[in-house]
Amino acid sequence: MASVAGPEIERLIQLLARLPGLGPRSARRAALHLIRKREELLGPLGEAMRVARERIVTCSICGNIDTSNPCSLCADARRDDATLVVVETVGDLWALERAQVLNARYHVLGGALSPLDGVGPDDLNIGALVSRVAAGGVREVILAVNATVDGQTTAHYITELLSPYEVKCTRLAHGVPVGGELDYLDEGTLAAALKSRTDL
Ligand code: ZN
């Protein structure tokens, strides 16, 4: 592809094109936007990235990503120690926090068990999860994993692993999304929704 600008700008475009959801075309548009708004956007963005690069750490308790260790969620004294929400990724943790329903503690596994991809229990942050439950104080472990084969395999594995402890393991309901129309749902989602129907 012919370059449209000098090597410095080309490099900016190439790096932006590596971001999820951005192809070469949208990367060029983003680069141009940043360059046009260099005072209010490019400068502050560069500074924010530099600070993030220097200060981001993985929380040694829960596996979350933050600029402090323990992370701000683990350090928050107002959170309920009795409820532990297990998620696959930090992105999932962020999604649940956006829902503003839980005031619980979290545990980030760093993925899901996947025999086909060679991901076993030792590749995930599972040992630390068992230690946290074994330490006592947790009454419910919510397995907020993906509704995929790997996610559900992981949920079953963890439930088995935690069975010696006095802790209730729950999982998220599977079913009709809020605002969803039945006619548009796939058979698997409809079957799951029927199985987990509730009293009115
Ligand atoms: Zn943490």
Side-chain angles (χ1 to χ4, degrees):
M1 195 188 301
S3 55
V4 292
E8 297 83 2
I9 293 174
E10 278 299 325
R11 175 147 175 80
L12 178 64
I13 295 169
Q14 281 168 14
L15 287 170
L16 286 170
R18 287 201 213 162
L19 293 174
L22 286 193
R25 189 187 168 88
S26 35
R28 277 197 298 277
R29 285 175 58 194
L32 199 55
H33 186 75
L34 285 169
I35 291 164
R36 281 205 195 105
K37 306 253 175 189
R38 52 188 172 280
E39 286 307 319
E40 65 256 54
L41 207 51
L42 189 57
L45 183 68
E47 178 62 10
M49 285 178 153
R50 188 188 65 75
V51 171
R53 182 168 183 258
E54 281 172 7
R55 298 200 42 203
I56 278 176
V57 284
T58 300
C59 176
S60 55
I61 297 173
C62 73
N64 187 19
I65 285 172
D66 206 339
T67 50
S68 59
N69 182 19
C71 72
S72 54
L73 299 183
C74 285
D76 185 353
R78 290 163 303 178
R79 288 198 174 243
D80 175 17
D81 289 320
T83 311
L84 191 55
V85 186
V86 175
V87 292
E88 292 182 24
T89 65
V90 172
D92 297 338
L93 187 163
W94 288 359
L96 288 172
E97 278 295 291
R98 279 203 305 276
Q100 291 188 314
V101 174
L102 298 162
N103 189 37
R105 302 288 179 191
Y106 285 94
H107 195 87
V108 183
L109 295 173
L113 292 175
S114 179
L116 282 178
D117 296 323
V119 181
D122 294 342
D123 300 311
L124 302 177
N125 193 18
I126 290 179
L129 170 64
V130 177
S131 302
R132 287 180 81 180
V133 172
V138 180
R139 285 200 295 277
E140 180 180 1
V141 171
I142 303 175
L143 293 154
V145 290
N146 290 333
T148 57
V149 172
D150 289 348
Q152 298 312 299
T153 304
T154 310
H156 283 122
Y157 178 82
I158 290 173
T159 304
E160 280 294 308
L161 214 55
L162 296 180
S163 61
Y165 305 98
E166 288 217 357
V167 65
K168 183 169 80 169
C169 288
T170 56
R171 67 163 176 81
L172 301 183
H174 299 162
V176 182
V178 174
E181 293 181 35
L182 298 192
D183 197 20
Y184 288 94
L185 298 182
D186 64 280
E187 293 79 8
T189 303
L190 270 175
L194 272 171
K195 268 192 218 153
S196 50
R197 66 189 181 277
T198 55
D199 290 332
L200 277 174

